[in-house]
Amino acid sequence: MDLNNLKREDFNFLKSVESRWVDMDALRHINNSVYLSYFESARVEFLDSLGININRWEGEESIILGKMEINYLRQSSYPNIYDVGCRISRLGTKSFDIFSAIFDEKGLDPVVIGTFVAVSFNYISQQTILIPKSVKDAFHPF
């Protein structure tokens, strides 16, 4: 994957997020922790588009977040509208990676990128499970 040439078109799922005044920190840019909430909102909708509703507490097919790695590439400030892209970038047996990038309306290059390791999980049995077919079907390597 060539992160130097990453574009919106590299993602089969995009969610628009509007920044808020409160998202800025004392340095007048969007606070690093706020990007995590942008990623989370997009990730929840992306998973829902794959038939995995993580809001169902009693679900037999869901996920639990195992790890995340975030790279902040440049700063951005309020006001702004962001596109958050998501795609499945790795498949394991019981875990998979969701690669995400946040693009602001003013630029072509991402502001922040992140890889989120999702572990397939059954909340009824409280056990890990094999990756659901819908996730496997959504896998498109770079």
Side-chain angles (χ1 to χ4, degrees):
M1 157 178 34
D2 184 4
L3 298 180
N4 294 323
N5 293 314
L6 197 60
K7 304 290 180 237
R8 285 174 177 82
E9 297 77 33
D10 292 325
F11 296 89
N12 52 353
F13 178 90
L14 287 171
K15 175 182 174 46
S16 181
V17 177
E18 191 170 342
S19 68
R20 306 167 302 160
W21 175 261
V22 71
D23 294 347
M24 282 193 304
D25 60 19
L27 299 173
R28 296 189 191 158
H29 59 242
I30 302 298
N31 186 273
N32 61 335
S33 65
V34 172
Y35 290 115
L36 298 179
S37 69
Y38 296 167
F39 279 131
E40 182 178 50
S41 293
R43 190 170 60 250
V44 167
E45 286 190 29
F46 174 59
L47 290 167
D48 192 53
S49 76
L50 301 179
I52 299 173
N53 183 344
I54 66 170
N55 293 313
R56 289 188 338 220
W57 309 114
E58 72 283 352
E60 291 185 15
E61 279 190 348
S62 192
I63 64 109
I64 194 165
L65 190 61
K67 178 182 173 182
M68 62 182 159
E69 181 178 318
I70 309 299
N71 293 356
Y72 301 96
L73 305 175
R74 60 187 177 86
Q75 60 183 325
S76 182
S77 61
Y78 172 89
N80 218 323
I81 297 173
Y82 299 96
D83 288 327
V84 184
C86 297
R87 67 182 290 154
I88 306 293
S89 60
R90 180 195 64 85
L91 289 178
T93 304
K94 295 184 176 184
S95 69
F96 58 95
D97 291 354
I98 301 172
F99 180 77
S100 296
I102 297 177
F103 300 87
D104 68 17
E105 67 180 345
K106 299 171 187 145
L108 298 175
D109 299 323
V111 176
V112 182
I113 58 173
T115 301
F116 301 87
V117 178
V119 179
S120 300
F121 199 75
N122 179 318
Y123 279 93
I124 295 171
S125 68
Q126 292 291 298
Q127 298 287 321
T128 58
I129 59 173
L130 297 176
I131 294 172
K133 182 180 180 326
S134 63
V135 172
K136 291 179 183 177
D137 291 346
F139 176 55
H140 301 289
F142 281 96

